Each structure stands twice: as structure tokens, then as C-alpha cells.
Amino acid sequence: MHLPGHTAGSIGLWDEENRQIFCGDAVGTNMQMMSLGTPSMEVLAETISRMLVLAEDNTVWWGHFGGQVTEADLVSLQQEVQGILQEQPRNTKRGTVKTSRNKINHVQDEQCPRAQDLSKRGRGRKRCQVYSLRETNAVTERNTTMIRKRLAMLLAVLNAAMVLAACGGQTLEQTYPILRDSKYDAAFLEVSIDDFLAEGFQFGDSCDVTFSNGLTLEDIPFFSGYYVRTGMPLVVGYPGYTYISVTRNNQGIWTDGGLTEDDTAVVTLHEAGKYLDEEEALSQSYSNNRGDYQDDVQFANFRALSGGNLKENFLYRGASPVDAQKNRAAVADALLKETGIRFVLNLADSEEDYQEHRNGESFSSFYAAGLHDAGSMALLDMSSSYASAAFKERLAGGLRSMLSAEGPIYIHCLEGKDRTGFVCFLLEALAGASYDEMRSDYMKTYANYYGITREDSPEQYDAVVCLWFDAFAAYLHGTEDEATLPSADYAQDAVNYLLDAGMTADEIAALRDMITEASDA
């Protein structure tokens, strides 16, 4: 609930079931603290009057100097504020605190316990700026999103506290049956994302996961997406997933970990909020509504590949034209028809998956269906584990099928982001594209879906490049020295990857000739 007074953006959290209100510093027992930053005494008076009504049926707790705010406290505050208002001249701006903004921020930084704790790691200042909600009327859209996440985190902390209280203060720990995610070789915990969160775990927490076969993962992040480098372990609650997943990014964990569906997993909270900065910096969501995008091309993440010596308008990439779960299939299908696509490299689906999409009530991708029926769609059913033998083998098979096809050619997975991102990076590298050219193409996806550009969101842009694109480049080039990536020559690296995937030198040469312009020599 909005409780302006202490600041213009002050809020309260209402625990309806237990009839408790956590009001921060909106009202309390210390007038000096409450009025610090107030937009006006009239606004503060209105909030106090509102809280008097709410206090009849709820217990009110405030943030400083310990404890409950009683109805008697609120009556006393109301009388004090009314006295201040009566003393103020009518022609002045009443209630404006004449303390400098820097002093206000200093006080809030010093008195916020969470900021004091985080400042030891050099992060308190940034976080307390969010908690202070200063300059609320000029908050940008990005800051508004951050504020919402912070409020969600506050609710999560309260929820976790109640869970721990219910457990007698014991460590948060839960045991789950597991299932194999055959697509990505991950371990699904048989618990939904909502239920996992309700049990007290929150995005940004650090967890320990111990499987009954002895496999143990310690101090790993719980994220809402795959925000770790290739090979690093995490717990993930990806939007749209039925269950919580435990895996190593782009590598899986089930087979290498020797897991079976007779095993169970114990998840223990290692440290609450340890990875919250990373979660907030990298977590993004996008709309699946066409009306929220500039045009069909942006909505479907649709574009031609370019860079190096690639043929113009020969290779295209984008979202799935057959899987409607992101509402993009029909739009992508129309773009395939408009562009005259002759062959589709479907990285995501098996034949069984494709038939399930086609039999769905909302299926209307008839152009793509025609390509499938004509044998012009390669269904590769690939995971995102681009370093795995299975990924390489299936990609090699798809590229061999492509060699006998006519262009233009469309490459996609579900979103046209991860699997498509690596395959297009590989083909661009084979065509002699530079690091900058390949990075530019990769990051167009993040501009299309999330609005992340180097100009508008430089920190997020660099974080995405570092986490994902540079991981592609470092893997392909076979280096851990990322300083060398911008100047590396990736053409031979692409050849080596395809040789390792099982393609012959002649097949690779034919593929390069197919996708590149003829040399003038």
C-alpha cells in the first residue's frame, strides 16, 4: 500500500492473513525520523489518519527504534502534526524539510541495517539508493522496475522469516523427488516455481544441493534464468518451466552426475540474497503481445545474418514459426512466406514435438507446414549444450541436409536466442565475420526482446556480452584470455569445431561456398 509522508514513495506491506502491517518509516514513534524527507505535512497527516483506521483491525510495525505503533501512538502523532500545521504561515510551502538531499541520503545509508551489511562488500550505496526511493516523481522506467523488484524482495524476506519461524528458526531445507529433463540433461525437482518460492527460497539466494547418490553442489545461485557461464552449476526457475531445474549451464548434470529417478535432492539455503545483484542486473522479461513491439520483425526477432563474406539475405534467424507458446509462430511463419524461405533448420524440435505443435488448436503456420511436408525442414531436437558431442552430431546432420537445399534458409529454436545464437555465431565465423560483427548480430536479439542496447543500457549490454557471447567466443577460440577475443580470427576455429562434429573437410568447404559470396580471385 502507498503510504506517502516519510517520503513521497513510502509504502507499507500488509500481511492480510495475520492482520499485520509493516509500514517502514511511514508512521512511527519518532517524529524527527518520520518527517525526514516528507513532501508535505498535509500528506503526512493524511497517512496518519489512514493508519488510525487500519490500526483498529491490524497490528502496525515500523522500521526504526523498535516495534509496534499503537493507536495511542498514532493519536499522539496526529495531534503533533496538526499542531505543526496550525503554526505554519498559509503562504509558505508547508512541511518541506530544509535538510540537504545529501544529508538525507547519508542518514538513510547509516541507519539501513541491510545497507550497512552490504556496504562491507561495496554494494550498500547502490542498494540504499533504491530503498530511499528518492526523487520519486522523476524515477525512470528502469528505476521503477528495480523498485518493484526490491519490494518483491522485501516481501520475500518477510515470507522467509515466517517460514523460518514456523520451523522453529531452523535452517531452510527441503527434500524433493527428481525427474530427468531429457532435452537439457538437467535434473528437475518435483516442485513448481511458485511452490519453491512459497517455501522460502528466493531468486538471488545461494543454495546447497545434495543428491542422494552423493553428488553435492555447494553455494550455487538460484536464478530466474541461466545467468552463469557455460559449465557453472545453478538452480533455475525459468519462466514457463513446470518445475525447478538443477543443472550446469549448457552442459547438463544428469548423465555426468550419475543420477536416476530413484534419487532425491535436498536443497538447503546457503545464504539469502548472496547473488541478488546478479539476478537484478541480468533478469529480464519480455512481452508476448504483438502490440508491445514496433513491428512484426522485432516481435519475431527476425533478421538476415550479415558479416564477413556472408551472402546477402541468404541466411535468416528468428523465433519459432511452429511452436506457439510465445505467441510468435504465426507472425514468424508470415515472415518466412514474405521472405521466400526455402529451407528451415529447426534446432528445437523433434518430429514428435513438431506434430504436437501442428495438432494444437492455435496452429496456423501453414507455410512452414508446407516446407515440412516437402522435406525442407530439418528437425534437430537439440539442447543448448554446444560443447557436447550430441549437440555437435545433430548440428552436423542438419548442416548436411542444408547443403542439398536451396536458399534462403531460416535458422531457429524457440526464441531465436541461445541455440540459434551459437549456430549463427558459428556460421558467421566460418564466413570470416569479425568479433564486432558477430557480437552486433547476437545483441540484436536483446535489443528486440528487452530493449538492451549499448547506447541506452551500457551496463546490461556489457554484462550480457560477457556472460554469453564472450563464452561462445572463448570456447570456439579455445582461450581463457578474454582480452584476446576482439582481435581473434574465428574462421579456422569454426572449421575445427565442424571437423570435431564429424563433418569432412569437403563438406565444410561446400558449406562455406554455399553461404558466402564468390571470391573475385
Side-chain angles (χ1 to χ4, degrees), residues 229-230 250 384 386 417-423 425 442 467-477 490:
R229 296 297 293 266
T230 292
N250 291 325
S384 55
Y386 54 82
K417 181 162 66 78
D418 299 320
R419 288 164 286 188
T420 301
F422 180 79
V423 171
F425 165 75
Y442 181 81
L467 188 61
W468 289 301
F469 179 76
D470 280 354
F472 290 172
Y475 170 77
L476 195 67
H477 196 55
Y490 295 93

Side-chain angles (χ1 to χ4, degrees), residues 420-436:
T420 301
F422 180 79
V423 171
C424 291
F425 165 75
L426 181 68
L427 294 175
E428 289 165 345
L430 185 65
S434 68
Y435 172 92
D436 287 344

